[in-house]
Amino acid sequence: MRLYIIGILAKILGIIIPLLLGVAFLVPAERKVMASMQRRKGPNVVGLFGLLQPLADGLKLMIKEPILPSSANLFIFIMAPVITFMLSLVAWAVIPFDYGMVLSDLNVGILYLFAISSLGVYGIITAGWSSNSKYAFLGALRSAAQMVSYEVSIGLIIITVLIRVGSCNFSEIVIAQKQIWFGIPLFPVFIMFFISCLAETNRAPFDLPEAEAESVAGYNVEYSSMGFAPFFLGEYANMILMSSLCTLLFLGGWLPILDIPIFYVIPGSIWFSIKVLFFPFVYIWVRAAFPRYRYDQLMRLGWKVFLPLSLAWVVFVSGVLVAFDWLPQFIEQFHCSAIKKYIFLIKKNSVKEQLENQMN
C-alpha cells in the first residue's frame, strides 16, 4: 500500500514539475518569439540569452507586498486564484503522453476534462465578484460569457470526433488515428476547435476579459504579488492543456508523423511534445499578428458562426458514417440494441391493446 501511494505521488510530481517548468519558460519564449516578429531583442539581460528571466519574475512576485482590498470578501478573494490554479493542474490526470503513460486512463476521460474546464469559470467569477470592484466584476462577467459561449462549440466538435471513434478514452482516440489523423479529413473542424481554444483560454485576439484599454486588467485587477501568480500560471497551463487536447484529438497524439519503422525509434512522448509545442507557437503568432476583437464580434462569431457550423458537422459526419457503414462497433451495438428495444416496446404495446380489446 505504501509503495502504491509513493508510486502515485511520483507520477503526480512527474506531471506537475515539467508542467510548471514549461509554464515558467513559456513566458520568456513568448516574449522572444514576439520580439523576433516585431524586430526587437526581447529579454536578454537576466542570464544567458535571458534564460533566467522566469526566476527573476518569480522572485519579483514573491518579494512584492500582497495587498488585500478592505471591502473585499477576503476568504473568497484568497481562494479564487487557488481554485483556478488547482483546476489547471488536475485536468492533466487523464492526458496520455505515450501508450500507457497516463496517470488515470479513464474511459470517460473527455467528459472529465470537459467538466474540469467548465469549472474553471468559477475561479474567474469568484475573483471578480469578491474584489468588490466594478472593473474586476465586468472582466469576470465577460470571461464567464465568453467561456460558456465557446464551450458549446468545443463540445459539439468533440462529439464529431467521438462518433468516429466510439469511445471517450483518449488512448483509444489516438489509436484510432493510426491510419490517418483526424485533422486531415476533419480539417475545418480542427480549425474551429483551435480558434475556440483561443477564446476558451482568453488568449489574443479574444482576450476581452483582460482588455487593459476598457476594464484595466479584467478580473485580476485587484490582485498583486503571489495573488496574481496563480492566475498567470493557470492561464499558461491551460494554454498547454488545450494544445495537448488538439494534439490528441486531431494530430494523432504520440503517433509519429509517418507510419515508417525508423520513426518508431523515437519515443512516443517525444512526438507528443513536438506536436504540443507547435500550438503555443501558433498562439504567440496569432497574438502578434491579429488585433483584439470587439465584444459583439466575439459573441457573434461564437453563437452565429461556430455553433451552427459545428452542429452541421456533427450531422454531416454522422450521416457519412451511417451511409457508408463506418460506425464504430460500440455505436453499432448500441444502435442495434436501441432498435431491438424499440421493436420490443411496440410489440408489447400492441399485445396490451389486443388484450384490452378482448376484455372489452
Side-chain angles (χ1 to χ4, degrees):
M1 183 65 181
R2 185 178 297 176
L3 291 175
Y4 175 75
I5 295 173
I6 292 173
I8 292 294
L9 290 175
K11 286 182 179 179
I12 293 172
L13 290 176
I15 294 173
I16 291 177
I17 292 174
L19 175 63
L20 293 180
L21 288 174
V23 168
F25 284 96
L26 183 58
V27 179
E30 178 175 20
R31 293 174 63 185
K32 279 284 189 182
V33 171
M34 289 186 66
S36 64
M37 290 178 178
Q38 298 166 353
R39 295 190 176 184
R40 295 185 290 108
K41 288 186 177 181
N44 62 347
V45 175
V46 186
L48 184 65
F49 302 114
L51 291 176
L52 297 181
Q53 189 66 42
L55 298 178
D57 292 340
L59 182 63
K60 179 189 73 173
L61 287 173
M62 283 191 285
I63 63 176
K64 288 182 75 173
E65 178 187 2
I67 298 172
L68 300 176
S70 57
S71 58
N73 187 320
L74 292 182
F75 176 75
I76 300 178
F77 185 82
I78 294 170
M79 288 303 298
V82 176
I83 293 171
T84 302
F85 183 60
M86 290 302 296
L87 288 173
S88 68
L89 293 182
V90 299
W92 285 88
V94 295
I95 298 295
F97 305 96
D98 198 350
Y99 186 74
M101 191 184 291
V102 57
L103 181 62
S104 180
D105 197 18
L106 296 178
N107 288 329
V108 289
I110 283 187
L111 298 180
Y112 170 84
L113 193 61
F114 202 58
I116 294 297
S117 66
S118 300
L119 289 173
V121 180
Y122 289 101
I124 292 172
I125 288 179
T126 51
W129 178 82
S130 63
S131 299
N132 199 20
S133 167
K134 293 177 182 177
Y135 291 114
F137 190 56
L138 178 62
L141 290 178
R142 279 183 166 191
S143 182
Q146 177 175 327
M147 293 173 80
V148 168
S149 299
Y150 283 86
E151 274 174 5
V152 178
S153 300
I154 287 176
L156 289 172
I157 291 169
I158 288 175
I159 289 173
T160 306
V161 175
L162 293 187
I163 58 178
R164 174 64 187 86
V165 180
S167 173
C168 291
N169 183 281
F170 278 114
S171 298
E172 293 183 12
I173 291 173
V174 172
I175 292 169
Q177 300 178 66
K178 197 169 181 64
Q179 298 297 327
I180 185 172
W181 294 352
F182 291 157
I184 297 173
L186 300 177
F187 184 73
V189 178
F190 175 39
I191 297 299
M192 284 195 296
F193 186 80
F194 178 73
I195 296 173
S196 298
C197 289
L198 285 174
E200 178 73 11
T201 52
N202 296 332
R203 292 285 302 179
F206 306 114
D207 54 343
L208 272 300
E210 303 169 12
E212 65 276 357
E214 302 154 22
S215 58
V216 187
Y219 55 88
N220 55 19
V221 66
E222 298 292 343
Y223 286 88
S224 63
S225 67
M226 290 308 290
F228 168 76
F231 284 119
F232 192 70
L233 293 173
E235 177 184 337
Y236 280 84
N238 282 328
M239 194 165 118
I240 300 174
L241 178 68
M242 286 300 178
S243 301
S244 303
L245 196 57
C246 289
T247 301
L248 291 170
L249 293 178
F250 295 102
L251 295 188
W254 62 80
L255 298 176
I257 296 176
L258 295 174
D259 194 11
I260 300 174
I262 193 170
F263 282 162
Y264 285 93
V265 176
I266 302 173
S269 56
I270 302 296
W271 285 116
F272 180 80
S273 302
I274 292 171
K275 294 174 186 177
V276 169
L277 287 174
F278 168 73
F279 288 102
F281 175 77
V282 180
Y283 273 77
I284 299 165
W285 190 2
V286 168
R287 180 180 177 183
F290 290 95
R292 181 181 293 131
Y293 268 45
R294 289 200 320 265
Y295 199 73
D296 61 308
Q297 293 173 330
L298 175 76
M299 290 291 110
R300 183 166 62 248
L301 181 67
W303 289 107
K304 293 188 177 181
V305 179
F306 280 6
L307 179 59
L309 280 178
S310 55
L311 186 59
W313 268 97
V314 171
V315 175
F316 173 72
V317 172
S318 305
V320 169
L321 294 177
V322 171
F324 291 95
D325 198 22
W326 290 342
L327 280 174
Q329 186 177 2
F330 170 77
I331 296 181
E332 284 182 351
Q333 291 174 355
F334 177 78
H335 189 248
C336 292
S337 63
I339 292 174
K340 289 178 181 177
K341 187 175 180 182
Y342 181 67
I343 294 172
F344 173 75
L345 289 174
I346 291 175
K347 289 182 177 179
K348 183 179 178 182
N349 289 331
S350 62
V351 171
K352 187 177 178 182
E353 288 176 0
Q354 290 176 3
L355 291 173
E356 287 177 354
N357 292 332
Q358 290 176 2
M359 291 289 292
N360 293 330

